[in-house]
Amino acid sequence: MASPIHNHASWGLVALLNGQEKNTFWQRSPTADLPDRIKPVGGRLLVPGDILCLMPDVIHRVAAIGDQPTISFNLYGETNYDQRLEFDPIQNTAKNF
Ligand SMILES: [Fe+2]
């Protein structure tokens, strides 16, 4: 199971308590014709005990890995919903999420 590619338009803290969670990251890479273009910039596998800090410009997708259920504690700042987006890296588009 994987989330869409999205941002949170807020800071966030994710503490993984059980299972494994793969985070894949993108950053904005706009062009004049494609203002919502993004490019991949790596990933990080979270295991129990790991803490991930998200800044408002982070774009990611989260996928549960393995056969153990994932349990995480997530804390986010105040969200600016106008800027919380879901990205399509094939069509180079973004829409509210
Ligand atoms: Fe997220």
Side-chain angles (χ1 to χ4, degrees):
M1 191 164 197
S3 74
I5 300 170
H6 63 280
N7 68 6
H8 287 270
S10 171
W11 58 264
L13 278 175
V14 178
L16 196 73
L17 304 174
N18 193 72
Q20 295 185 9
E21 187 181 279
K22 182 182 178 188
N23 274 259
T24 305
F25 301 103
W26 286 259
Q27 70 182 29
R28 284 186 169 278
S29 182
T31 66
D33 293 342
L34 303 169
D36 291 319
R37 180 173 172 252
I38 57 174
K39 67 177 183 182
V41 290
R44 181 174 166 199
L45 179 64
L46 299 183
V47 299
D50 284 345
I51 295 176
L52 176 66
C53 297
L54 302 170
M55 298 310 290
D57 61 343
V58 167
I59 299 167
H60 75 157
R61 175 170 58 203
V62 179
I65 301 294
D67 53 10
Q68 292 293 311
T70 57
I71 300 173
S72 62
F73 174 78
N74 295 38
L75 181 65
Y76 298 100
E78 186 174 359
T79 299
N80 181 344
Y81 286 99
D82 290 342
Q83 295 181 24
R84 188 168 190 217
L85 300 170
E86 175 181 338
F87 296 85
D88 181 334
I90 306 300
Q91 301 296 323
N92 295 301
T93 57
K95 63 181 180 182
N96 282 107
F97 176 59

